[in-house]
């Protein structure tokens, strides 16, 4: 059996604003997107410390894409019933756009000029369709859903060291992701309903 250490808690970046009042969907999506990116990087770093090897920068990008797709669809499920359908669609679209811009900037830094946004968005859309086939009773991903996620990560790590990665994702990393996404959505939605854009400073 692999020796799997306890997963340290990842602290979320700031999810509260100094000024009270409603926040736009774009503002809340920006906070969610920044947190999902940070969470994905922290999971990646934790796995590196645990001895997993990811190979090339392109393989790392593929793994991060799987992380992000998983947590983004968790956000989508978590806001279901708490926002209107239109608000939910807008929020998730804004989150995806934020993450696509962040991924694009990072890939350009790592790999040089190229088309990175569309492949990332296409990957997110594909995963959202696939994850929609799985049940999440009570907001908790089913065993089949977790297994699918872990297998996708293992596939993305095919060029590196993927021994025990399925067990690592299902037993350690994915549960932490689920807890943090739930906390993130709860804290972000506490900002209130975005009835109107904020007034410009006078």
């Amino acid at each position: 059996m692999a020796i799997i250490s306890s997963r340290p808690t990842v602290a979320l970046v700031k999810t509260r604003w100094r000024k009270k009042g409603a926040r736009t969907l774009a503002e809340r999506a920006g906070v969610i997107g920044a947190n999902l990116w940070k969470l994905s990087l922290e999971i990646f770093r934790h796995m590196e410390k645990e001895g997993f090897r990811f190979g090339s920068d392109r393989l790392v990008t593929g793994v991060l894409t799987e992380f992000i797709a998983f947590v983004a669809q968790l956000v989508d499920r978590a806001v279901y019933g708490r926002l209107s359908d239109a608000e939910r669609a807008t929020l998730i679209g804004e989150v995806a756009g934020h993450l696509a811009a962040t991924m694009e900037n990072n890939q350009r830094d790592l790999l040089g000029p190229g088309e990175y946004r569309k492949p990332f968005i296409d990957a997110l859309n594909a995963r959202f369709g696939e994850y929609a086939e799985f049940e999440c009773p009570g907001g908790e991903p089913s065993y089949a859903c977790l297994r699918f996620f872990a297998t996708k990560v293992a596939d993305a790590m095919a060029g590196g060291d993927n021994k025990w990665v399925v067990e690592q994702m299902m037993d350690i990393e994915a549960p932490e992701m689920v807890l943090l996404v739930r906390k993130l959505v709860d804290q972000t939605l506490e900002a209130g309903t975005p009835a109107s854009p904020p007034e410009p400073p006078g």
Side-chain angles (χ1 to χ4, degrees):
M1 287 292 293
I3 299 175
I4 304 175
S5 68
S6 298
R7 166 91 197 119
T9 301
V10 179
L12 297 174
V13 297
K14 187 174 181 180
T15 57
R16 300 181 186 278
W17 290 268
R18 291 181 180 178
K19 295 182 180 179
K20 296 182 179 179
R23 300 295 165 180
T24 67
L25 286 174
E27 287 176 313
R28 291 189 281 179
V31 170
I32 291 171
N35 276 280
L36 296 186
W37 180 259
K38 179 187 178 185
L39 172 57
S40 298
L41 286 180
E42 288 296 327
I43 296 294
F44 165 74
R45 289 168 183 154
H46 179 249
M47 292 183 69
E48 274 195 318
K49 291 178 182 177
E50 292 296 292
F52 291 94
R53 296 293 174 261
F54 294 86
S56 69
D57 288 336
R58 291 189 184 278
L59 283 179
V60 171
T61 297
V63 171
L64 287 176
T65 298
E66 296 299 339
F67 290 175
I68 290 167
F70 180 68
V71 292
Q73 64 87 27
L74 289 177
V75 170
D76 187 38
R77 291 176 184 270
V79 300
Y80 180 78
R82 301 174 70 175
L83 297 175
S84 70
D85 289 345
E87 288 175 331
R88 175 187 169 205
T90 298
L91 179 73
I92 297 304
E94 291 277 355
V95 168
H98 178 92
L99 289 165
T102 305
M103 178 65 82
E104 182 179 46
N105 290 336
N106 278 268
Q107 285 187 283
R108 284 178 175 170
D109 290 342
L110 286 172
L111 307 173
E115 173 54 58
Y116 302 113
R117 182 181 292 255
K118 186 178 185 302
F120 177 75
I121 292 293
D122 288 346
L124 288 189
N125 287 333
R127 292 293 177 268
F128 264 67
E130 291 165 328
Y131 281 118
E133 300 297 320
F134 296 102
E135 294 183 357
C136 285
E140 294 286 338
S142 63
Y143 176 88
C145 181
L146 293 178
R147 184 81 185 181
F148 175 81
F149 166 55
T151 301
K152 286 299 180 183
V153 174
D155 290 345
M157 291 176 63
D161 178 8
N162 64 354
K163 187 177 182 180
W164 306 115
V165 70
V166 170
E167 291 83 355
Q168 180 77 13
M169 296 314 303
M170 294 186 69
D171 296 340
I172 303 296
E173 311 300 349
E176 181 76 1
M177 291 173 161
V178 172
L179 289 174
L180 284 168
V181 167
R182 184 183 300 123
K183 177 182 177 183
L184 171 61
V185 170
D186 287 345
Q187 290 185 0
T188 306
L189 292 191
E190 284 176 5
T193 303
S196 60
E199 295 182 0

